[in-house]
Amino acid sequence: CLCCFQLYGYCYQDSNDIPDTLTTITELGSPLEMIQLLQTSWEDRFRICLSLVRLLHYLAHSPLGSVTLLDFRPRQFVIVDGELKVTDLDDASVEESSCTSNSDCFMEFPARNFTLPCSVEGRCQSMNEKRNLYNAYRFFFTYLLPHSAPSSLRPLLDKIVNATGNHNKHGNAKYINVFITSIKFVPTEYLALELSPSPSVNSEFTQKCVKSANTQYRRVPEAYIPDENYRCWPSYHHKGCLLSVFDVSEAIEICDSYSQCKAFVLTNQTTWTGRQLVFFKMASNHIVPDPDKITYVKVTD
């Protein structure tokens, strides 16, 4: 399972102090800090939720059957290369609860309770999957998905969050996975897709001078502004304003929205979804050559 901590090796030996000692070697991950995650970009938080959805889907359809994590809390997860992975499977169970009536399929949580149907085989239907899904909702989705999400995505994100928090007929991992992977990139929005198309700059923005609603920008190829930084949130750079964009049009809209922005620099770096990273600058007094970058300077009257 790619969503679980990878085991590189183990060593079994006897110790004078502790008999039957087992030492494991696993990949290195970062502890999950929710406050720190809320300070990252929405795009990165979406990636974590997407990896969690993959985990939910795997647990619901594992070779052992439907698996539930009885201790489903943030401390059981780590971040590895931007992906969420579960580290502790000691409390995993493949046993679906037995029942004689629906009242035996009662799930109790701090905020709300659910009663699932009892199947003709005497098992609570999808209880393992529903338990995982609701825990993902109350510990992860409800915090990471809506917070500072792009406005055009909020109706869809509301459906995702509601589907995980309400155990209706659509509230399952497969349904959530379809919703999340159906989101596509469009210009001017932070829209994420697991297999996103590579962004392409429209031909009208490759001219020497481009124009937004109220301002014009002069295109300076193979150029970079090393200084003139200002801070913005969320930023991929702690000392400057480094954001991801779909194309030049979105970069212009962002620069127009900041009163201190007088120029921006397109880099050749992209995020995990293929969005281009752009530095936004508060002046353009010092421009230096750089073959890997393109600078756009706001034209003033």
Side-chain angles (χ1 to χ4, degrees):
C1 174
L2 296 177
C3 303
C4 301
F5 223 34
Q6 185 172 352
L7 177 66
Y8 290 128
Y10 62 91
C11 179
Y12 177 79
Q13 63 183 15
D14 288 330
S15 172
N16 294 330
D17 299 327
I18 304 175
D20 302 331
T21 301
L22 177 65
T23 302
T24 60
I25 303 171
T26 63
E27 63 183 327
L28 183 64
S30 302
L32 191 66
E33 299 289 345
M34 192 60 66
I35 295 179
Q36 183 177 353
L37 285 181
L38 291 174
Q39 296 174 346
T40 62
S41 69
W42 182 86
E43 192 175 351
D44 287 343
R45 284 184 273 116
F46 181 88
R47 184 183 185 183
I48 291 173
C49 292
L50 187 58
S51 60
L52 179 55
V53 166
R54 296 194 195 104
L55 173 62
L56 293 174
H57 188 269
Y58 177 83
L59 293 176
H61 305 89
S62 80
L64 300 176
S66 182
V67 180
T68 186
L69 301 179
L70 299 176
D71 192 13
F72 196 117
R73 286 182 285 182
R75 69 182 185 185
Q76 306 288 15
F77 298 86
V78 295
I79 303 295
V80 179
D81 296 330
E83 302 276 346
L84 188 73
K85 294 194 176 185
V86 62
T87 62
D88 191 354
L89 295 174
D90 291 345
D91 295 313
S93 174
V94 296
E95 293 294 330
E96 294 277 17
S97 299
S98 59
C99 59
T100 56
S101 65
N102 291 349
S103 60
D104 295 328
C105 302
F106 181 74
M107 290 197 303
E108 185 175 6
F109 295 96
R112 62 184 309 176
N113 305 319
F114 302 95
T115 300
L116 301 179
C118 179
S119 69
V120 294
E121 293 83 10
R123 296 289 179 180
C124 295
Q125 292 184 13
S126 304
M127 177 170 278
N128 286 347
E129 181 180 6
K130 300 291 188 181
R131 182 183 288 111
N132 289 338
L133 195 57
Y134 187 76
N135 280 327
Y137 157 80
R138 69 190 186 105
F139 286 121
F140 292 97
F141 295 142
T142 189
Y143 298 109
L144 299 183
L145 277 179
H147 180 60
S148 70
S151 57
S152 64
L153 271 186
R154 284 171 187 163
L156 180 57
L157 294 175
D158 287 342
K159 291 182 180 179
I160 294 174
V161 174
N162 290 336
T164 56
N166 297 297
H167 285 334
N168 52 37
K169 64 179 181 179
H170 296 301
N172 56 63
K174 182 179 180 180
Y175 173 79
I176 304 304
N177 195 42
V178 170
F179 254 113
I180 289 187
T181 55
S182 69
I183 301 172
K184 297 181 182 296
F185 262 117
V186 296
T188 73
E189 295 294 347
Y190 285 90
L191 304 188
L193 176 66
E194 187 174 3
L195 301 174
S196 81
S198 298
S200 60
V201 178
N202 194 293
S203 60
E204 66 179 292
F205 298 122
T206 61
Q207 303 172 10
K208 289 185 177 180
C209 192
V210 293
K211 185 177 182 180
S212 67
N214 302 312
T215 57
Q216 286 187 334
Y217 288 81
R218 178 170 56 90
R219 182 177 184 269
V220 186
E222 298 185 355
Y224 177 63
I225 303 173
D227 303 312
E228 308 296 349
N229 291 314
Y230 66 90
R231 293 183 179 181
C232 66
W233 186 90
S235 174
Y236 287 91
H237 193 281
H238 68 283
K239 292 185 178 180
C241 186
L242 179 63
L243 303 174
S244 69
V245 302
F246 177 79
D247 58 11
V248 177
S249 178
E250 184 177 6
I252 289 174
E253 289 190 12
I254 293 175
C255 191
D256 285 348
S257 68
Y258 286 98
S259 60
Q260 64 266 55
C261 182
K262 305 301 180 185
F264 60 86
V265 180
L266 299 181
T267 73
N268 61 354
Q269 297 176 299
T270 59
T271 65
W272 68 278
T273 54
R275 290 171 61 84
Q276 193 169 12
L277 289 177
V278 175
F279 273 109
F280 293 88
K281 303 289 184 174
M282 61 190 302
S284 58
N285 299 324
H286 181 49
I287 299 179
V288 299
D290 191 321
D292 297 324
K293 295 180 177 63
I294 302 174
T295 293
Y296 285 79
V297 179
K298 186 177 292 187
V299 178
T300 57
D301 296 333

